[in-house]
Amino acid sequence: MEEAAAVRAASVSSVPILDAMGVRLVEVAPGHAVAELPAEPNRNHFGVAYAGSLYSVAEMLGGVLALATFDLEGELAGCVPLVKESTIRFRRPALGVVRAEASLSPAEAERVRRDALATGKGEFVLEATLTDADGEVVATTTGTYQVRRLG
């Protein structure tokens, strides 16, 4: 999908710290995104994944999903994806590559789209799961995001 490739390129390169962290988008489609966080340079002084890196790779999925799901250059031109709040729950130390994944259902995406068209903002809650190379959950996040018209 050509559009997904554009979202991949724009999402990580538009936030220099994500590029420096080595974050890589591996799946991008309307309503779904998966990113990987490499072990290096994201280890802390104990040799496990740095908490801030785990949070960052999960939080960015809200923006990626919005870019891949909503027509922000057409019917929702002038809208941008924003995070309003987000929490993270660390479950276990993460070693190696961490995979972060989040999805938004088609029905929820349609509701957000309608709200954004009607009021200039559409809010959604996104849950992300972060797993290690063995598939063990290392952290989960819950974030409230908006597709919001600026100006």
Side-chain angles (χ1 to χ4, degrees):
M1 171 184 236
E2 186 176 310
E3 185 177 325
V7 170
R8 273 191 201 92
S11 298
V12 175
S13 65
S14 68
V15 182
I17 192 65
L18 297 173
D19 198 31
M21 291 167 50
V23 171
R24 186 172 71 91
L25 288 167
V26 294
E27 293 178 36
V28 178
H32 185 74
V34 179
E36 287 184 346
L37 177 74
E40 294 299 332
N42 299 295
R43 289 185 201 207
N44 65 16
H45 53 293
F46 300 116
V48 298
Y50 175 60
S53 295
L54 293 172
Y55 174 81
S56 294
V57 73
E59 183 278 328
M60 57 113 30
L61 293 177
V64 170
L65 277 168
L67 291 170
T69 305
F70 304 108
D71 183 7
L72 302 181
E73 293 183 12
E75 72 175 353
L76 293 176
C79 289
V80 297
L82 299 172
V83 61
K84 286 183 62 177
E85 67 180 356
S86 183
T87 60
I88 188 165
R89 180 171 181 218
F90 300 103
R91 297 180 177 264
R92 63 185 313 142
L95 297 169
V97 174
V98 172
R99 181 179 174 97
E101 184 168 357
S103 295
L104 189 65
S105 74
E108 182 67 353
E110 179 56 25
R111 183 199 57 78
V112 172
R113 180 186 149 288
R114 282 193 318 269
D115 288 354
L117 285 169
T119 68
K121 62 183 173 183
E123 191 167 288
F124 60 99
V125 173
L126 193 63
E127 295 180 357
T129 302
L130 290 80
T131 54
D132 63 15
D134 294 329
E136 294 291 327
V137 175
V138 298
T140 55
T141 63
T142 302
T144 302
Y145 295 83
Q146 282 185 342
V147 173
R148 183 180 184 128
R149 190 169 318 283
L150 292 183

